[in-house]
Amino acid sequence: MIDRTQIYNIIYALAAKDGREERLFGACAEPAYVALVHSLAGDAFPELWFEIPLLGDPWFDLHALTAREGLHPGVEFAPETCGGFPEAFEWFASQNESVRQLALSWDVGSGSIDQPAVQLLLNRRDPRRTCDFLTAAGRPDAAPAYRAFYEKLPEAWFPCYSGVFPSRPGHNLRVECVFERPLQQAYADDASLLERHLRQVGLDDLGDTIVPRCQALARTPFAMEFQFDVDEAGSATPVFSVSLRFSTPPGTDEWHCFDPNAHAGTLMRQVEEWGLADDRWHDLAGTIFAKRLARGDDQMTLYCYPAFLKLRWRDGNPVDAKSYLIAGVQ
């Protein structure tokens, strides 16, 4: 069996080679490795997300996602291998196909890796299960806020992700919502509908750019997602993000769709014109790989690809843009 830390080292080396460590990843390799070691619940290799800013000093945060299929009910989880959330992992291992992944998110870029965020990714709408997760994660106080926020959601929104960030100040409940392409097209065509839905969940300070830029993003061929920080009363705070999914996972025909000369390139040039990215986004294409690894009887494919673009606003003002690389083994 190839050691999982060795697999991680190979993935990181391939993604960061040819000068990309200096341009994209910064000096975060050591704390990221420590975070990875504390994210190895179960026996499988986690799915990794490298969160990379596209402006300012290079750095990254690390997210490690464990699939439910890789865990077994009744397994005891050591705090040091599950980010300090053994109860959350025990709960997760006992669930059904409603749940998809449990994520640990480490603030590697700040050097603060004492306690990660923990997030639940769902396969289908299930507010009761999400509230149970928040309790298992040590935040029963966040469950009523989640329920109140859930009741505000437009009918077509699916809250696919929720999590808490213990190392950050405030209520720190985060919820991400997805929706089908027809609604995304409706947002592209109708600014009033988009504004009404954002205000419906409590996002009142839209500034001058949230609605027109979200409309521009909605017109791209990439699926859109909205992310909110939620307060104690269950309303969206002035921190808002929108993400676009560049591509589908490796093994499908479209997974190479991140092409700087095609739709993704047009999008990234627009983001650069908005002042939210510099030219480092050109390096993202070099992070794409699928490499066969064989050692003895062990054979696997290591992969990495740019999966998301994320834009953030605070108090109605644009903050920055980030890209998320997804990496792992098949």
Side-chain angles (χ1 to χ4, degrees), residues 195 198-207 210 235-238 315-316:
E195 180 175 346
L198 293 175
R199 293 189 185 279
Q200 180 174 322
V201 297
L203 190 67
D204 293 324
D205 192 350
L206 299 176
I210 287 181
S235 290
T237 74
D315 298 318

Side-chain angles (χ1 to χ4, degrees), residues 52-287:
I52 296 175
L54 298 177
L55 193 67
D57 294 334
W59 54 269
F60 72 94
D61 286 338
L62 183 69
H63 310 259
L65 291 75
T66 299
R68 182 188 63 86
E69 293 80 5
L71 303 178
H72 306 286
V75 173
E76 293 186 5
F77 295 96
E80 58 270 19
T81 58
C82 60
F85 290 101
E87 293 85 1
F89 274 87
E90 289 166 6
W91 173 87
F92 180 68
S94 69
Q95 301 306 299
N96 61 22
E97 64 277 2
S98 292
V99 303
R100 180 159 60 94
Q101 292 168 308
L102 194 65
L104 296 173
S105 296
W106 302 85
D107 289 337
V108 172
S110 68
S112 176
I113 57 171
D114 293 333
Q115 190 170 30
V118 59
Q119 299 115 353
L120 176 69
L121 286 76
L122 291 172
N123 285 319
R124 59 173 178 255
R125 189 183 297 263
D126 196 336
R128 180 190 61 79
R129 204 172 301 272
T130 298
C131 290
D132 289 345
F133 154 70
L134 293 169
T135 298
R139 287 294 306 278
D141 62 300
Y146 176 83
R147 177 72 70 172
F149 182 74
Y150 181 87
E151 296 299 327
K152 294 182 174 74
L153 295 180
E155 184 177 354
W157 288 15
F158 165 42
C160 63
Y161 152 110
S162 60
V164 288
F165 295 71
S167 64
R168 300 182 184 179
H171 193 59
N172 62 67
L173 170 63
R174 181 167 292 175
V175 181
E176 183 151 322
C177 298
V178 298
F179 35 84
E180 297 296 332
R181 188 73 199 193
L183 182 57
Q184 181 171 328
Q185 185 59 53
Y187 289 152
D189 296 336
D190 187 349
S192 64
L193 175 65
L194 174 59
E195 180 175 346
R196 184 166 70 251
H197 280 179
L198 293 175
R199 293 189 185 279
Q200 180 174 322
V201 297
L203 190 67
D204 293 324
D205 192 350
L206 299 176
D208 298 326
T209 61
I210 287 181
V211 170
R213 289 185 180 180
C214 282
Q215 283 197 284
L217 298 175
R219 296 184 184 109
T220 72
F222 307 114
M224 176 182 281
E225 305 177 6
F226 291 156
Q227 189 177 90
F228 304 91
D229 285 4
V230 178
D231 64 19
E232 295 90 336
S235 290
T237 74
V239 178
F240 168 68
S241 303
V242 58
S243 296
L244 294 179
R245 179 182 283 272
F246 282 136
S247 60
T248 53
T252 65
D253 291 338
E254 302 91 3
W255 86 280
H256 284 290
C257 80
F258 185 81
D259 181 349
N261 297 313
H263 292 296
T266 301
L267 169 64
M268 294 309 303
R269 282 191 292 273
Q270 176 65 81
V271 173
E272 189 173 0
E273 290 174 6
W274 286 338
L276 303 178
D278 56 30
D279 63 357
R280 77 186 67 179
W281 65 266
H282 291 277
D283 292 308
L284 294 174
T287 66

